[in-house]
CSV table of all heavy atoms in Angstrom, one decimal:
chain,number,residue,atom,x,y,z
F,24,VAL,N,193.6,121.3,103.4
F,24,VAL,CA,194.9,121.9,103.1
F,24,VAL,C,194.5,123.0,102.0
F,24,VAL,O,195.0,124.2,102.1
F,24,VAL,CB,195.9,121.0,102.6
F,24,VAL,CG1,197.1,121.8,102.0
F,24,VAL,CG2,196.4,120.1,103.7
F,25,TYR,N,193.7,122.7,101.0
F,25,TYR,CA,193.6,123.6,99.9
F,25,TYR,C,192.3,124.5,100.0
F,25,TYR,O,192.2,125.5,99.3
F,25,TYR,CB,193.6,122.8,98.6
F,25,TYR,CG,194.8,122.1,98.3
F,25,TYR,CD1,194.9,120.6,98.4
F,25,TYR,CD2,196.0,122.7,98.0
F,25,TYR,CE1,196.0,119.9,98.2
F,25,TYR,CE2,197.2,122.1,97.8
F,25,TYR,CZ,197.2,120.7,97.9
F,25,TYR,OH,198.4,120.0,97.7
F,26,VAL,N,191.3,124.0,100.7
F,26,VAL,CA,190.1,124.8,100.8
F,26,VAL,C,189.9,125.4,102.2
F,26,VAL,O,189.6,126.6,102.4
F,26,VAL,CB,188.8,123.9,100.4
F,26,VAL,CG1,187.6,124.8,100.6
F,26,VAL,CG2,189.0,123.4,99.0
F,27,GLY,N,190.0,124.6,103.2
F,27,GLY,CA,189.9,125.0,104.6
F,27,GLY,C,188.5,124.4,105.1
F,27,GLY,O,187.5,124.6,104.4
F,28,THR,N,188.6,123.8,106.2
F,28,THR,CA,187.3,123.2,106.8
F,28,THR,C,186.3,124.3,107.2
F,28,THR,O,185.0,124.1,107.0
F,28,THR,CB,187.6,122.4,108.0
F,28,THR,OG1,188.4,123.3,108.9
F,28,THR,CG2,188.5,121.1,107.7
F,29,ASP,N,186.7,125.3,107.6
F,29,ASP,CA,185.7,126.4,107.8
F,29,ASP,C,185.0,127.0,106.7
F,29,ASP,O,183.7,127.2,106.6
F,29,ASP,CB,186.4,127.8,108.5
F,29,ASP,CG,186.9,127.4,110.0
F,29,ASP,OD1,186.5,126.4,110.5
F,29,ASP,OD2,187.9,128.0,110.5
F,30,ARG,N,185.8,127.1,105.5
F,30,ARG,CA,185.0,127.5,104.2
F,30,ARG,C,184.2,126.5,103.8
F,30,ARG,O,183.1,126.8,103.2
F,30,ARG,CB,186.2,127.7,103.3
F,30,ARG,CG,185.6,128.4,101.9
F,30,ARG,CD,186.8,128.7,100.9
F,30,ARG,NE,187.5,129.7,101.5
F,30,ARG,CZ,188.7,130.2,100.8
F,30,ARG,NH1,189.1,129.7,99.6
F,30,ARG,NH2,189.4,131.1,101.4
F,31,VAL,N,184.5,125.2,103.9
F,31,VAL,CA,183.7,124.1,103.4
F,31,VAL,C,182.4,124.2,104.2
F,31,VAL,O,181.3,124.1,103.6
F,31,VAL,CB,184.3,122.7,103.5
F,31,VAL,CG1,183.4,121.6,103.3
F,31,VAL,CG2,185.5,122.6,102.6
F,32,ALA,N,182.5,124.2,105.6
F,32,ALA,CA,181.3,124.2,106.4
F,32,ALA,C,180.4,125.4,106.1
F,32,ALA,O,179.2,125.3,106.1
F,32,ALA,CB,181.8,124.2,107.8
F,33,SER,N,181.1,126.5,105.9
F,33,SER,CA,180.3,127.8,105.7
F,33,SER,C,179.6,127.7,104.4
F,33,SER,O,178.4,128.1,104.3
F,33,SER,CB,181.3,129.0,105.5
F,33,SER,OG,180.6,130.3,105.2
F,34,LEU,N,180.1,127.2,103.3
F,34,LEU,CA,179.5,127.0,102.0
F,34,LEU,C,178.3,126.2,102.1
F,34,LEU,O,177.2,126.4,101.5
F,34,LEU,CB,180.5,126.6,101.0
F,34,LEU,CG,181.5,127.5,100.5
F,34,LEU,CD1,182.6,126.8,99.6
F,34,LEU,CD2,180.9,128.7,99.8
F,35,LEU,N,178.5,125.0,102.9
F,35,LEU,CA,177.3,124.0,102.9
F,35,LEU,C,176.3,124.6,103.8
F,35,LEU,O,175.1,124.2,103.6
F,35,LEU,CB,178.0,122.7,103.5
F,35,LEU,CG,178.8,122.0,102.5
F,35,LEU,CD1,179.3,120.7,103.1
F,35,LEU,CD2,178.0,121.5,101.1
F,36,ARG,N,176.5,125.3,104.9
F,36,ARG,CA,175.6,125.8,105.8
F,36,ARG,C,174.8,126.9,105.0
F,36,ARG,O,173.6,127.2,105.4
F,36,ARG,CB,176.2,126.4,107.0
F,36,ARG,CG,176.6,125.3,108.0
F,36,ARG,CD,176.9,125.9,109.4
F,36,ARG,NE,177.3,124.9,110.4
F,36,ARG,CZ,178.6,124.5,110.5
F,36,ARG,NH1,179.6,125.3,109.8
F,36,ARG,NH2,178.9,123.6,111.4
F,37,ARG,N,175.4,127.6,104.1
F,37,ARG,CA,174.7,128.6,103.4
F,37,ARG,C,173.6,128.1,102.6
F,37,ARG,O,172.5,128.7,102.3
F,37,ARG,CB,175.6,129.4,102.5
F,37,ARG,CG,175.3,130.8,102.2
F,37,ARG,CD,176.5,131.5,101.3
F,37,ARG,NE,177.7,131.4,102.1
F,37,ARG,CZ,178.9,131.8,101.6
F,37,ARG,NH1,179.0,131.8,100.2
F,37,ARG,NH2,180.0,131.7,102.3
F,38,ARG,N,173.7,126.9,102.0
F,38,ARG,CA,172.8,126.3,101.2
F,38,ARG,C,172.5,124.7,101.8
F,38,ARG,O,172.8,123.9,101.1
F,38,ARG,CB,173.1,126.1,99.8
F,38,ARG,CG,173.3,127.5,99.1
F,38,ARG,CD,171.8,128.3,99.1
F,38,ARG,NE,170.7,127.4,98.6
F,38,ARG,CZ,170.5,127.5,97.2
F,38,ARG,NH1,171.2,128.3,96.4
F,38,ARG,NH2,169.5,126.7,96.8
F,39,THR,N,172.0,124.7,102.9
F,39,THR,CA,171.8,123.5,103.5
F,39,THR,C,170.8,122.6,102.8
F,39,THR,O,171.0,121.3,102.6
F,39,THR,CB,171.1,123.7,105.0
F,39,THR,OG1,172.1,124.5,105.7
F,39,THR,CG2,171.1,122.3,105.7
F,40,ASP,N,169.8,123.2,102.2
F,40,ASP,CA,168.7,122.4,101.4
F,40,ASP,C,169.5,121.8,100.1
F,40,ASP,O,169.2,120.5,99.9
F,40,ASP,CB,167.7,123.2,101.0
F,40,ASP,CG,168.2,124.5,100.1
F,40,ASP,OD1,169.3,124.8,100.2
F,40,ASP,OD2,167.4,125.3,99.5
F,41,VAL,N,170.4,122.4,99.5
F,41,VAL,CA,171.1,121.8,98.4
F,41,VAL,C,172.0,120.8,98.9
F,41,VAL,O,172.1,119.8,98.3
F,41,VAL,CB,171.8,123.0,97.6
F,41,VAL,CG1,172.6,122.3,96.4
F,41,VAL,CG2,170.8,124.0,97.1
F,42,ALA,N,172.7,121.1,100.0
F,42,ALA,CA,173.7,120.0,100.5
F,42,ALA,C,173.0,118.7,100.8
F,42,ALA,O,173.5,117.7,100.5
F,42,ALA,CB,174.4,120.7,101.7
F,43,VAL,N,171.7,118.8,101.5
F,43,VAL,CA,171.0,117.6,101.9
F,43,VAL,C,170.5,116.9,100.6
F,43,VAL,O,170.6,115.6,100.5
F,43,VAL,CB,169.8,118.1,102.8
F,43,VAL,CG1,169.0,116.8,103.1
F,43,VAL,CG2,170.4,118.5,104.2
F,44,ALA,N,170.0,117.6,99.7
F,44,ALA,CA,169.5,117.0,98.5
F,44,ALA,C,170.6,116.3,97.8
F,44,ALA,O,170.4,115.2,97.2
F,44,ALA,CB,168.8,118.1,97.6
F,45,GLY,N,171.7,117.0,97.6
F,45,GLY,CA,172.9,116.3,97.1
F,45,GLY,C,173.4,115.1,97.7
F,45,GLY,O,173.8,114.1,97.0
F,46,SER,N,173.4,115.1,99.0
F,46,SER,CA,173.9,114.0,99.8
F,46,SER,C,173.0,112.8,99.6
F,46,SER,O,173.3,111.7,99.4
F,46,SER,CB,173.9,114.3,101.3
F,46,SER,OG,175.0,115.2,101.6
F,47,VAL,N,171.6,113.1,99.6
F,47,VAL,CA,170.7,112.0,99.4
F,47,VAL,C,170.7,111.4,97.9
F,47,VAL,O,170.7,110.2,97.8
F,47,VAL,CB,169.3,112.5,99.7
F,47,VAL,CG1,168.2,111.4,99.3
F,47,VAL,CG2,169.1,112.8,101.1
F,48,GLY,N,170.9,112.3,97.0
F,48,GLY,CA,171.2,111.9,95.7
F,48,GLY,C,172.4,111.1,95.4
F,48,GLY,O,172.2,110.0,94.7
F,49,VAL,N,173.5,111.4,96.0
F,49,VAL,CA,174.7,110.6,95.9
F,49,VAL,C,174.5,109.3,96.7
F,49,VAL,O,175.0,108.2,96.2
F,49,VAL,CB,175.8,111.3,96.5
F,49,VAL,CG1,177.1,110.5,96.6
F,49,VAL,CG2,176.1,112.6,95.6
F,50,ALA,N,173.8,109.3,97.8
F,50,ALA,CA,173.6,108.2,98.5
F,50,ALA,C,172.8,107.0,97.8
F,50,ALA,O,173.2,105.9,97.9
F,50,ALA,CB,172.8,108.5,99.9
F,51,VAL,N,171.7,107.5,97.1
F,51,VAL,CA,170.9,106.6,96.4
F,51,VAL,C,171.5,106.1,95.1
F,51,VAL,O,171.4,105.0,94.7
F,51,VAL,CB,169.5,107.3,96.1
F,51,VAL,CG1,168.7,106.4,95.2
F,51,VAL,CG2,168.9,107.5,97.4
F,52,ALA,N,172.4,106.9,94.6
F,52,ALA,CA,173.1,106.6,93.3
F,52,ALA,C,174.3,105.7,93.3
F,52,ALA,O,174.8,105.4,92.5
F,52,ALA,CB,173.4,107.8,92.5
F,53,THR,N,174.8,105.5,94.6
F,53,THR,CA,176.1,104.8,94.8
F,53,THR,C,175.8,103.5,95.5
F,53,THR,O,175.0,103.4,96.3
F,53,THR,CB,177.0,105.6,95.6
F,53,THR,OG1,176.4,106.2,96.8
F,53,THR,CG2,177.6,106.9,94.9
F,54,PRO,N,176.6,102.5,95.2
F,54,PRO,CA,176.5,101.1,95.7
F,54,PRO,C,177.1,100.9,97.0
F,54,PRO,O,178.0,100.0,97.1
F,54,PRO,CB,177.1,100.3,94.6
F,54,PRO,CG,178.2,101.1,94.0
F,54,PRO,CD,177.7,102.5,94.1
């Protein structure tokens, strides 16, 4: 509603390396 799925996908595709690193970091740091 407030951001838009296309914008979210576009931002993450622009920096896929950062997105993957962030996902792995959150994955390891959460129970």
